Amino acid sequence: MRKFLLKSILLTSIVLVICLGMRLFIGPFWGHSTASQKWEVYHIKHSDANTLFIGSSRIYKHIMPKVFDSLAKIDGYSTNSFNLGVNSFPAPQSLRMLDLLIEETGSVKYYFVELTPIYDEINDKIINTPEWNYWYDGHHLTLLARHVWSRPDLGYQNKIKRIKEHLQSYLGNFFLIGSAQFYLEENLKDEKWLVEQFDQQKGFVSFESAMKNQAEKSDDLTGRFEKFQNDTTVLDIRKKEALKLKKWKKNNDLNSPYVEELKNLMKKVEDKGGKLFLIIPPRMENYSGYRFFADIYKMDNLIDLSDPESYPEFYQAKNSFDVGHLNLKGARIFTNRLYQLIQDKNGFVK
Amino acid sequence: MLFNSFQFIVFFIVVTSLYFALPYRYRWFLLLSASCLFYMAFVPVYILILGFTIVIDYFAGIYIEKSRDGRKKLFLIFSLIANIGVLAVFKYYNFLNENLSLLMHGVGYENPIPYLEILLPIGLSFHTFQAMSYTIEVYRGNQKAERHFGIYSLYVMFYPQLVAGPIERPQSILPQFYRNHDFDYERVKKGLLRMAWGFFKKLVVADRLAYVVNDIYSDLPADSGGGIYLLATVFFSFQIYCDFSGYSDIALGAAKVMGYDLMENFNRPYISKSIQEFWQRWHISLSSWFKDYLYIPLGGNRVVKWRWYYNLLLTFSLSGLWHGAKWTYIVWGFLHGIYLIIPLILKIKIRSAWNIPIVFILATFGWLFFRAESMTDAVYIIQQIGRSPFEFNFDQHTTFFLTNCIMGIGAIILLLVSEAFFLRHGTFENRAASFSLFPRWTIYVSILLLIFWFGVFSNNEFIYFQF
């Protein structure tokens, strides 16, 4: 029995060392195609950016760095921004990206991060695939487990199930589960146009141009666009949902462990002479997850763009691509509004 | 609980550790409890069905042994009816009812019998056949009736082979539950190697091929070209082999770790030189069950020719039906019956290596029906292949599909090379364990990394679970 246990430990260690060795050759977002590409373009061609936008498609498709920079230039601020937003990239993935960026020595002064609910329930379709596993590390696994455990709305069975799945996902990332398929698929894809756009448009790619150039095919852009065109009244549901956020903000004093994490990240950015802003996007399917950010709502660096009463233009069909996102025209308006709000908060330093 | 799940890995480690930690006399109870837990991870309430057949067959075995002449047969028939009855209700009721409806509509009547909305209990076909094997062997005098209810229950429910076989004979496995199996390093190592080989076949080969097969056989795309349908069909031949034999390997390996020897269920069926040989190498436990309990009692080949052919056709058609309540399965089985009869009628007896691709093609053609969702789909697929067998329109498919085609071809090549190397003169684990230190450890590390990096971990069910 002892011989067996020793040899098992040895075998596991060898496999672990090989997997760790392989990790030296792969990026931190190896299972997410767009995140990997943008990360690479940013580091190779735009590492001098001093303003970064991080988050999901509601950052990626809504913030136009060139427009942002030109507005800043008019007011005498020197911003050189890059949009690191990526489809299907909410917290906790986006917070991991932020974590990595803050650790780097560089020129970044302003971080604008989408504040999203912590997505702690894994989609059945992508569990145990690189598409989900890629972003796990020990720190974020612990944070996620603590977040799940702290949720008063989940039963113990559900909490244990979710934590078990996250542990599984962490091991999946550690051992690079399913990585071969990901790398072969990346090599077969022709995404030259998209990568060029990341460089030319500083990370922003509108839905319209992606659809026209047949990029991001797996997101079924045409299907989503046509579905929305057939029934734009679905926006009313999103408006009603967004109005609930006011209630969540007022009636809760819950704080996820992620709030501490965000505060720590803010402090780290400040220690480096920078500023971190949190953006609440419009048109989410569900805002109930925002009730776990009680302390965040007391902060100055929160930019809330979700309110349909304050920003009705974000809920108009003419500015929309699909039910959850703005089109190019809407993105231009969004970028302008965002810039204005930052100005109002004296967010920039000359 | 699926073998290819994190849950099973934890379950296996815990159960095996407890097995070796416990004194021998308590092990049957541990294994029985673990097997109950394993089964209940699917649909808990269905353990009652298992319990029902276990109780019936336990007492039937005792009464068969005690009784004489007519009463002996009566108890056997009672046991068989109970088992076949459970199969009939849960597996075949709706199929029979549907065909009755078609018949009645044909003559202008409505079928008043309602359909049942019930799920098929997992592994039903396997454990009922294993249970029937017990009562038949007791009746034939080849097996003493098991008096220990717990041990008998374990015979039916032993978790490694509970849901997808191999279908064991009582003579081979019951005595093993009475033996004390100490921890033995070599045996445990070989058991784990066998499991690793099974996981390789399931996760690296079968589930990879499944992406392509499911896409084509479910969606039946119109513009793919017949070549893609042909590719998907060939892929299915390897998918079903690796899926099922992979499961058997994991079952055999898990049992071996604890000291139990289950029967070999596959022996490289695609190197068969005849269909007869194919059935000596494919799902051996099922084909031998049908041979011993149906074909031979019907007279086998010791009857007049037409009766012999009839026996073959009936046996194989029922074997098809065993797989599922669909006409496509029956056609598959019937087709294999025809494959066996034609050489007999034409008096062909060649068994040269040149036959290997011919047998593979015949088997693959049969798999087309097995996998198709209906007879209409099967005919459509045959037409597509026939129309343009060399046309491959990958433009109609996603990069994901193309990736899986390429990886699928690579996986098949790797499988064939590995089998030629490791299985030529025995089992994978014996061959792997025979190497010196460095090559042996290279094999261990390589198989694990292949599974991790090339495997599909989307918790795909094993194909034979649906039977």
Side-chain angles (χ1 to χ4, degrees):
Chain A
M1 177 80 87
R2 212 180 88 174
K3 182 179 172 188
F4 172 76
L5 285 170
L6 284 171
K7 291 203 172 184
S8 301
I9 292 168
L10 180 61
L11 179 63
T12 311
S13 307
I14 294 172
V15 170
L16 254 161
V17 163
I18 293 174
C19 289
L20 280 169
M22 288 300 288
R23 297 191 71 82
L24 296 173
F25 298 99
I26 60 172
F29 303 105
W30 64 273
H32 195 303
S33 173
T34 316
S36 301
Q37 285 161 346
K38 259 201 187 177
W39 186 257
E40 204 177 304
V41 168
Y42 162 66
H43 281 91
I44 294 172
K45 298 214 173 155
H46 294 270
S47 56
D48 57 345
N50 64 5
T51 304
L52 294 178
F53 301 101
I54 299 155
S56 70
S57 53
R58 289 185 179 84
I59 296 294
Y60 174 25
K61 300 295 187 183
H62 292 175
I63 300 177
M64 303 172 73
K66 284 188 173 178
V67 169
F68 190 90
D69 291 342
S70 62
L71 288 168
K73 194 174 176 184
I74 292 167
D75 290 334
Y77 300 111
S78 166
T79 65
N80 176 9
S81 56
F82 191 84
N83 184 333
L84 274 164
V86 173
N87 292 336
S88 306
F89 206 72
Q93 292 95 307
S94 55
L95 298 181
R96 180 163 178 258
M97 181 183 266
L98 175 64
D99 214 353
L100 288 168
L101 288 165
I102 294 171
E103 291 302 315
E104 292 173 354
T105 49
S107 49
V108 182
K109 232 168 142 184
Y110 306 107
Y111 294 90
F112 294 92
V113 183
E114 184 187 10
L115 182 70
T116 71
I118 308 299
Y119 286 92
D120 59 35
E121 187 176 10
I122 306 175
N123 184 333
D124 276 342
K125 286 185 192 156
I126 58 171
I127 193 168
N128 295 328
T129 66
E131 199 184 331
W132 173 255
N133 291 346
Y134 72 93
W135 62 272
Y136 281 80
D137 61 18
H139 171 69
H140 288 90
L141 172 68
T142 318
L143 203 49
L144 199 47
R146 284 173 53 215
H147 169 77
V148 169
W149 200 254
S150 73
R151 284 184 62 170
D153 58 326
L154 289 180
Y156 279 115
Q157 210 173 351
N158 211 342
K159 285 183 187 182
I160 290 167
K161 177 181 173 275
R162 289 188 190 199
I163 291 172
K164 184 207 90 186
E165 285 174 352
H166 289 301
L167 176 62
Q168 215 173 299
S169 302
Y170 170 72
L171 290 171
N173 187 27
F174 206 87
F175 290 104
L176 303 173
I177 298 286
S179 49
Q181 182 201 315
F182 171 76
Y183 280 106
L184 178 60
E185 204 175 339
E186 286 307 293
N187 280 306
L188 289 173
K189 268 189 210 174
D190 178 12
E191 296 208 302
K192 210 169 140 197
W193 176 85
L194 194 64
V195 173
E196 279 168 7
Q197 291 301 298
F198 289 159
D199 181 24
Q200 287 165 22
Q201 301 301 325
K202 303 176 101 183
F204 171 78
V205 177
S206 71
F207 278 112
E208 290 92 325
S209 59
M211 204 163 65
K212 189 177 156 196
N213 289 278
Q214 298 201 315
E216 297 175 329
K217 277 189 216 173
S218 57
D219 292 336
D220 187 25
L221 299 181
T222 311
R224 282 159 56 178
F225 176 71
E226 283 171 0
K227 188 177 174 186
F228 178 71
Q229 294 306 310
N230 286 335
D231 180 17
T232 59
T233 60
V234 290
L235 267 178
D236 294 335
I237 302 169
R238 296 280 166 127
K239 255 195 238 178
K240 280 185 191 152
E241 192 54 42
L243 287 168
K244 288 182 192 171
L245 180 58
K246 287 182 184 172
K247 180 185 87 175
W248 295 126
K249 276 176 171 179
K250 275 189 196 159
N251 299 339
N252 280 285
D253 56 4
L254 294 170
N255 277 300
S256 160
Y258 270 98
V259 172
E260 267 321 297
E261 172 76 358
L262 283 167
K263 286 180 185 174
N264 290 337
L265 290 170
M266 281 176 208
K267 175 123 191 353
K268 274 189 194 174
V269 169
E270 276 166 23
D271 290 345
K272 286 189 166 187
K275 279 189 176 185
L276 192 153
F277 294 89
L278 298 169
I279 302 172
I280 299 180
R283 304 166 70 125
M284 299 281 281
E285 197 176 2
N286 190 318
Y287 280 90
S288 63
Y290 283 92
R291 67 195 130 138
F292 298 108
F293 296 125
D295 281 359
I296 301 286
Y297 299 129
K298 299 168 194 163
M299 293 180 176
D300 282 337
N301 55 345
L302 179 68
I303 302 170
D304 186 353
L305 287 157
S306 67
D307 187 5
E309 285 167 353
S310 306
Y311 309 103
E313 61 271 31
F314 296 154
Y315 293 88
Q316 290 169 350
K318 62 180 180 179
N319 297 329
S320 306
F321 176 78
D322 65 13
V323 66
H325 301 90
L326 301 166
N327 55 20
L328 180 61
K329 185 176 160 207
R332 205 174 284 277
I333 299 168
F334 186 89
T335 308
N336 271 276
R337 289 282 177 275
L338 172 66
Y339 177 80
Q340 203 51 60
L341 278 170
I342 298 165
Q343 272 282 65
D344 293 346
K345 286 176 183 286
N346 297 315
F348 293 113
V349 175
K350 280 201 176 152
Chain B
M1 151 193 340
L2 297 175
F3 275 174
N4 53 323
S5 68
F6 187 67
Q7 219 178 342
F8 173 73
I9 303 296
V10 172
F11 170 88
F12 174 73
I13 292 170
V14 169
V15 170
T16 310
S17 305
L18 283 172
Y19 178 84
F20 288 117
L22 277 176
Y24 153 70
R25 63 182 179 278
Y26 299 122
R27 286 179 180 175
W28 70 268
F29 183 72
L30 166 73
L31 284 180
L32 184 61
S33 309
S35 300
C36 287
L37 207 69
F38 182 86
Y39 193 76
M40 290 171 76
F42 295 103
V43 179
V45 74
Y46 279 160
I47 199 153
L48 296 174
I49 299 165
L50 204 47
F52 169 75
T53 57
I54 286 172
V55 167
I56 298 269
D57 294 326
Y58 170 76
F59 286 107
I62 292 170
Y63 284 113
I64 287 170
E65 193 175 66
K66 277 185 182 171
S67 308
R68 298 263 175 270
D69 306 323
R71 281 169 68 93
K72 211 175 163 82
K73 200 166 201 171
L74 209 62
F75 285 117
L76 174 68
I77 291 169
F78 176 67
S79 156
L80 294 179
I81 287 173
N83 282 289
I84 293 170
V86 163
L87 261 180
V89 168
F90 284 93
K91 193 163 176 177
Y92 299 110
Y93 175 90
N94 284 333
F95 172 70
L96 293 169
N97 202 17
E98 198 181 300
N99 283 282
L100 181 66
S101 291
L102 283 168
L103 265 169
M104 289 178 79
H105 278 138
V107 293
Y109 288 101
E110 286 297 317
N111 179 9
I113 304 172
Y115 286 91
L116 290 178
E117 293 213 17
I118 37 170
L119 268 177
L120 176 65
I122 205 129
L124 183 69
S125 305
F126 289 92
H127 62 73
T128 47
F129 267 43
Q130 184 151 316
M132 286 197 282
S133 170
Y134 168 77
T135 46
I136 294 170
E137 293 297 323
V138 172
Y139 175 80
R140 287 179 176 180
N142 297 331
Q143 171 66 34
K144 285 184 72 59
E146 180 54 58
R147 292 310 208 254
H148 191 312
F149 183 74
I151 297 287
Y152 175 72
S153 303
L154 189 56
Y155 161 73
V156 178
M157 288 189 69
F158 186 42
Y159 84 83
Q161 40 103 227
L162 171 60
V163 293
I167 302 169
E168 286 289 340
R169 301 299 172 90
Q171 300 94 311
S172 67
I173 190 141
L174 271 169
Q176 295 189 60
F177 293 132
Y178 284 99
R179 283 181 218 139
N180 185 9
H181 304 115
D182 287 330
F183 184 93
D184 176 77
Y185 173 76
E186 281 301 317
R187 193 195 70 229
V188 168
K189 180 179 81 178
K190 285 183 180 178
L192 291 174
L193 270 171
R194 190 66 182 264
M195 289 177 78
W197 177 239
F199 281 118
F200 163 74
K201 283 202 271 185
K202 168 64 177 166
L203 299 173
V204 178
V205 187
D207 285 355
R208 179 66 57 202
L209 299 175
Y211 280 130
V212 174
V213 174
N214 292 346
D215 221 2
I216 298 301
Y217 271 74
S218 300
D219 294 344
L220 300 178
D223 303 322
S224 287
I228 295 214
Y229 279 92
L230 184 59
L231 183 71
T233 308
V234 170
F235 271 16
F236 183 69
S237 290
F238 286 99
Q239 180 199 346
I240 192 165
Y241 166 60
C242 289
D243 194 285
F244 195 14
S245 67
Y247 181 94
S248 293
D249 289 326
I250 297 167
L252 263 72
K256 194 182 193 79
V257 166
M258 292 183 286
Y260 301 98
D261 290 315
L262 301 179
M263 69 179 290
E264 293 290 340
N265 215 8
F266 290 86
N267 181 15
R268 302 179 71 195
Y270 292 140
I271 62 165
S272 303
K273 298 185 189 84
S274 68
I275 290 292
Q276 190 181 12
E277 189 183 346
F278 178 83
W279 283 102
Q280 288 163 355
R281 290 170 176 270
W282 178 278
H283 202 175
I284 299 165
S285 65
L286 181 75
S287 53
S288 60
W289 194 101
F290 271 104
K291 187 182 96 181
D292 293 344
Y293 300 130
L294 182 66
Y295 179 68
I296 290 174
L298 284 174
N301 62 357
R302 292 174 193 220
V303 289
V304 294
K305 270 198 185 132
W306 72 264
R307 181 62 200 241
W308 179 18
Y309 303 156
Y310 168 79
N311 291 345
L312 281 169
L313 282 174
L314 179 67
T315 303
F316 276 91
S317 300
L318 286 176
S319 163
L321 185 63
W322 175 90
H323 284 82
K326 276 203 300 192
W327 281 108
T328 48
Y329 292 125
I330 298 169
V331 165
W332 167 79
F334 187 81
L335 200 55
H336 273 271
I338 296 287
Y339 288 160
L340 283 165
I341 288 169
I342 287 176
L344 296 173
I345 294 171
L346 299 176
K347 293 186 168 52
I348 301 167
K349 267 189 184 177
I350 303 165
R351 283 170 63 100
S352 90
W354 290 110
N355 273 10
I356 293 174
I358 295 171
V359 172
F360 178 77
I361 290 167
L362 291 173
T364 300
F365 183 69
W367 289 131
L368 192 157
F369 290 92
F370 193 95
R371 179 58 182 85
E373 293 181 15
S374 66
M375 286 302 299
T376 316
D377 284 5
V379 169
Y380 176 80
I381 292 166
I382 293 167
Q383 284 171 340
Q384 287 288 327
I385 294 172
R387 203 170 284 148
S388 53
F390 304 112
E391 193 183 329
F392 296 86
N393 294 336
F394 286 105
D395 292 342
Q396 303 299 320
H397 296 276
T398 59
T399 318
F400 180 73
F401 180 87
L402 178 62
T403 306
N404 285 300
C405 284
I406 295 170
M407 289 186 80
I409 291 167
I412 290 171
I413 294 170
L414 183 62
L415 171 78
L416 293 172
V417 167
S418 303
E419 285 203 338
F421 184 75
F422 287 103
L423 304 192
R424 203 177 181 130
H425 300 295
T427 62
F428 172 80
E429 64 275 22
N430 285 338
R431 181 81 168 110
S434 70
F435 288 105
S436 59
L437 181 70
F438 184 72
R440 203 169 69 240
W441 276 73
T442 306
I443 292 167
Y444 298 163
V445 172
S446 302
I447 200 167
L448 283 177
L449 292 178
L450 272 171
I451 290 168
F452 290 157
W453 296 351
F454 290 82
V456 174
F457 286 81
S458 311
N459 285 354
N460 288 332
E461 265 195 10
F462 286 86
I463 294 173
Y464 267 70
F465 271 26
Q466 63 190 297
F467 309 140

